[in-house]
């Protein structure tokens, strides 16, 4: 069997030194290549904490994570930074674009960060990614001049530009009206299909979650129900 894109076993996260609060209580989760997974759960259930750990921005207190077959706990900070730059794209509720830069300059940022400097071809790749989200004609626009939905599309282009196998999206449509949220979601869904990129998307929108391949629910720091794409294979209806 081939290694899944992402595998978590017993991931625990505690916050605090004096008073320890356990936020994740042993999370098991498998995400296959190309899967589009919704992550649901009420406020405070640990969704952002889990995404930060998966994003290699924070360390788990206990448990193991494998990303593209590499065990994260074996890696030092430099190796984590490299793995993050190569394997992950990020989209947040607020676009986190750099307002002093143009749309295409923002999209190029992950490439620049990965290479340590601007290289030939990066602008072209940024333009192609902007084209994919329908904003090729706004490439040199300052991002402050774009609408909320357009800014979030720039953020999607930025997440996709380096062709990472996994995108982590923390309520990417949470700050948009429902029509714009629908459009932005559809764009992300299509990009994921076209490029075979897996997405783990936190959302409170039941309608959007239904349109994902699978929904994972966090309940008080634990995954409720099935934890991997093997669910269909073990279903009695699968025959
Ligand atoms: N840096 C932190 N230090 C202490 N507690 C935290 C920290 N970050 C989050 N928490 C707590 O962890 C719990 C889960 O938070 P979070 O992961 O943000 O949940 P969600 O994204 O599902 O709303 C909450 O009770 C929150 O107060
Ligand atoms: Mg959150």
């Amino acid at each position: 069997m081939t290694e899944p894109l992402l595998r978590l076993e017993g991931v625990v996260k505690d916050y605090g030194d004096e008073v320890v609060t356990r936020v994740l209580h042993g999370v098991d989760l498998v995400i296959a290549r190309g899967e589009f997974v919704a992550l649901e759960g009420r406020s405070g259930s640990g969704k952002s904490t889990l995404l930060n750990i998966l994003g290699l921005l924070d360390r788990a207190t206990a448990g193991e994570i494998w990303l593209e077959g590499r065990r994260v706990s074996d890696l030092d900070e430099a190796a984590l930074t490299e793995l993050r730059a190569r394997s992950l794209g990020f989209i947040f509720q607020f676009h986190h674009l750099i307002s002093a830069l143009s749309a295409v300059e923002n999209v190029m940022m992950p490439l620049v960060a990965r290479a340590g400097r601007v290289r030939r071809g990066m602008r072209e790749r940024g333009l192609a990614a902007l084209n994919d989200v329908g904003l090729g004609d706004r490439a040199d626009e300052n991002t402050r001049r774009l609408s909320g939905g357009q800014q979030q599309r720039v953020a999607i282009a930025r997440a996709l530009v380096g062709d990472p196998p996994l995108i982590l999206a923390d309520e990417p449509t949470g700050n948009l009206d429902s029509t714009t949220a629908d459009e932005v979601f559809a764009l992300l869904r299509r990009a994921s299909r076209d490029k075979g990129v897996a997405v783990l998307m936190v959302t409170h929108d039941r309608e959007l979650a239904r349109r994902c391949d699978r929904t994972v629910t966090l309940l008080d720091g634990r995954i409720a129900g099935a934890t991997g794409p093997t669910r269909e294979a073990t279903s009695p209806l699968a025959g």
Side-chain angles (χ1 to χ4, degrees):
M1 205 184 99
T2 56
E3 182 70 19
L5 174 61
L6 179 74
R7 186 152 59 91
L8 277 72
E9 273 181 23
V11 168
V12 169
K13 180 63 184 180
D14 294 338
Y15 284 119
D17 302 318
E18 304 262 294
V19 181
V20 174
T21 309
R22 181 150 296 187
V23 173
L24 298 177
H25 295 259
V27 171
D28 298 328
L29 179 65
V30 172
I31 295 181
R33 290 191 177 271
E35 251 199 314
F36 201 115
V37 179
L39 179 60
E40 286 188 327
R42 64 176 61 145
S43 181
S45 59
K47 303 180 298 297
S48 293
T49 298
L50 183 61
L51 247 66
N52 284 340
I53 291 171
L54 295 181
L56 313 179
L57 301 164
D58 196 4
R59 293 266 193 185
T61 305
E64 294 291 352
I65 299 166
W66 287 264
L67 177 58
E68 299 202 280
R70 299 184 68 187
R71 193 162 77 162
V72 165
S73 61
D74 291 339
L75 306 177
D76 62 16
E77 285 304 317
L80 282 181
T81 301
E82 200 209 307
L83 185 61
R84 190 187 306 130
R86 196 188 60 226
S87 301
L88 298 171
F90 296 90
I91 306 170
F92 305 93
Q93 179 172 4
F94 301 99
H95 52 73
H96 292 293
L97 299 175
I98 299 170
S99 61
L101 299 180
S102 69
V104 68
E105 286 166 342
N106 269 284
V107 173
M108 288 162 59
M109 285 308 286
L111 304 178
V112 176
R114 195 189 292 182
R117 63 189 175 85
V118 178
R119 288 215 177 114
R120 231 181 330 156
M122 285 181 180
R123 183 180 161 85
E124 286 66 30
R125 284 182 73 181
L127 288 173
L130 272 178
N131 261 323
D132 287 345
V133 298
L135 288 175
D137 58 336
R138 310 299 295 275
D140 294 310
E141 196 88 61
N142 188 295
T143 54
R144 260 180 309 219
R145 294 168 54 108
L146 302 177
S147 70
Q150 287 171 334
Q151 288 173 338
Q152 208 53 320
R153 280 152 66 188
V154 174
I156 291 173
R158 181 182 55 184
L160 286 164
V161 73
D163 289 321
L166 176 62
I167 287 180
L168 300 172
D170 200 348
E171 304 194 46
T173 63
N175 196 37
L176 304 173
D177 67 74
S178 64
T179 308
T180 311
D182 257 30
E183 287 167 11
V184 166
F185 172 80
L187 192 73
L188 185 58
R189 189 83 176 94
R190 189 182 41 121
S192 158
R193 274 214 188 95
D194 290 352
K195 294 176 183 285
V197 182
V199 177
L200 181 62
M201 179 185 80
V202 175
T203 184
H204 290 292
D205 188 327
R206 269 290 153 95
E207 191 49 40
L208 295 189
R210 242 176 24 82
R211 287 153 63 188
C212 297
D213 295 327
R214 178 158 67 97
T215 297
V216 166
T217 304
L218 259 186
L219 194 63
D220 299 330
R222 291 182 178 84
I223 303 261
T227 58
T230 50
R231 185 182 50 169
E232 279 87 278
T234 56
S235 157
L237 298 175

